[in-house]
Amino acid sequence: MTGTAARAAAPAIHPLPQFAAGPVGVVLVVQALVLSLLSGRYGFHRDELYFLAAGKRLDWGYVDQPPVTPLLARAGAAMFGDSPAGVRALATVAALATVLLVALVARELGGGRSAQTLAAGAAALSAFVLVVGHMLGTATFDLLVWVAIGLLALRLLRTGDGRWWLAIGAVAGVGLANKWLVLLLLSALGIAVLITGPRHVFRSAWLPAGILVAAVLAAPVVWWQARHGWPLLTVAGGISEDDGAENRILFVPLQLVYLSPVLVPVWIAGMVRLWRDPRLRWARALVVAYFVVCVELLVLGGKPYYSIPLLVLLMAAGAEPTVRWLARGRRAARRALAGALVVLGAAMSLVVALPVLPPDGLNPVLAMNKEQGEQVGWPEFTATVAAVWRQIPEPRRATAVILTRNYGQAGAIERYGTDLGLPRPYSGHMSYADWGPPPDSHTGPVVLVGATTMAGVADCRVAAEHDNGLGLDNDEQGTVVTVCGVLTRPWSELWPQLRHFY
């Protein structure tokens, strides 16, 4: 299609409202203060401990993730300190960037000053954004990537300017180096545009250039996975097999609560607006893309939160009609109701997502966000293992090994164990399996963390059971620590049997 024909097929381009820099800036300042002030409470999450361990062993990939998040964990620790607050500084930056982009999405869809501010505030106070903004994780940067691609795609669809394919390709390539879920978004947007239009954007010569940019950026990560037998797909298949039925059952209910029940009317209003407003016909693909992703996840058995970034975009679309609703009719009553809902929703999100409660009061929260509990008690857990380690006669410790059941346990011992006299831990879980095995000269004893026996060792006895002292029912509460005698087979022979992904 010629440039003239493409412009003729594109929607009419109207000037965008002025960006609400002042009020959106206030939202960002408050968001930064809240996340920063609370980032040091509790402690590291098990995943953060794993990312720190992976960051010490930088590679183009790991069995369960691409390299960006471990790289950022290492960078955060180096720049801001090897502490929860230091590592999470970059998560805070990513959350701020996400909220800023949400405001820009509202503007892209014609939202004025009030709509942009509402979109930014709703995103900043939503439970999902608070959770991923508080902790450093793959989902933190995946959310930013999805929102960025959503904004760029809207800009492409609104203007018809094919050069935006280059920016989409660049963000997608970086996103693939963090988490492969971005492929769901790209496929869903592609299908949605084919269904709703404007289809002429696919005839742009810039599309293959954007694909090339994404491919070049993602090539080292894909090559690493190919060389290692595509372990990331093995892990994804395991998630579907183990949790697929539960994910499908809970999918719809969790769509209603992950952001906040209070925000459901806002993103529904966004869907209705994009579908009915003839001035936004070009943006209908965003609605269809959400449902396509939902179908993909239901088929694959993926986790329900994978689709939430698209709800964030739809929430931005719903900001303008929400502002109009507040300005109609009985304004005082509507604004009083909205204010009460904002206070209720904010309180719910803060308690569920952030470490505002004392650790011993977290049990009721774990049903809604178990990740809070996974940030408590790791130094004490390591002390439990250290107490068992000291039961081994000192002359025998030179050939002894600590073997953990999961990467969180290994990451905690690696992070806190040195000060307690513990050696490097080993584990067959995820990429820790690639960082082993112990030397064959280490013939025992073996301290098993999270197991009572293991093939290849004899004379096992349970030496301790971990108690976090808070009555907190997190994943490691009640974990057994076992001491076994000498190995009956060398580690090099045992190790392939000890690798596990779940």
Side-chain angles (χ1 to χ4, degrees), residues 355-373:
V356 297
L357 297 177
D360 59 1
L362 273 178
N363 277 328
V365 174
L366 300 187
M368 295 173 283
N369 178 20
K370 69 184 291 289
E371 310 308 334
Q372 291 254 43

Side-chain angles (χ1 to χ4, degrees), residues 433-445:
D434 296 323
W435 306 332
D440 283 342
S441 58
H442 285 42
T443 55

Side-chain angles (χ1 to χ4, degrees), residues 361-436:
L362 273 178
N363 277 328
V365 174
L366 300 187
M368 295 173 283
N369 178 20
K370 69 184 291 289
E371 310 308 334
Q372 291 254 43
E374 299 312 303
Q375 301 170 52
V376 176
W378 289 112
E380 294 77 10
F381 176 85
T382 307
T384 298
V385 176
V388 173
W389 177 261
R390 288 192 291 270
Q391 296 177 22
I392 300 172
E394 189 167 353
R396 301 191 64 194
R397 294 178 195 169
T399 59
V401 168
I402 298 175
L403 183 71
T404 74
R405 178 72 181 84
N406 62 57
Y407 63 62
Q409 299 165 347
I413 295 169
E414 186 170 338
R415 172 63 177 77
Y416 298 110
T418 302
D419 293 340
L420 299 175
L422 296 181
R424 167 194 169 185
Y426 294 87
S427 180
H429 190 212
M430 297 298 186
S431 283
Y432 261 102
D434 296 323
W435 306 332

Side-chain angles (χ1 to χ4, degrees), residues 63-80:
V63 297
D64 51 341
Q65 66 200 329
V68 164
T69 300
L71 175 63
L72 293 174
R74 177 170 175 166
M79 292 187 295
F80 304 107

Side-chain angles (χ1 to χ4, degrees), residues 109 179 298 308 395 501:
L109 294 169
K179 200 174 180 76
L298 287 169
I308 298 304
F501 296 103

Side-chain angles (χ1 to χ4, degrees), residues 30-77:
V30 173
Q31 180 191 21
L33 286 173
V34 170
L35 290 177
S36 299
L37 290 173
L38 294 175
S39 63
R41 275 180 60 82
Y42 298 172
F44 286 114
H45 186 273
R46 66 167 61 246
D47 288 354
E48 292 172 319
L49 293 167
Y50 179 44
F51 297 140
L52 285 170
K56 296 175 183 176
R57 304 164 174 92
L58 287 178
D59 204 340
W60 282 110
Y62 305 89
V63 297
D64 51 341
Q65 66 200 329
V68 164
T69 300
L71 175 63
L72 293 174
R74 177 170 175 166

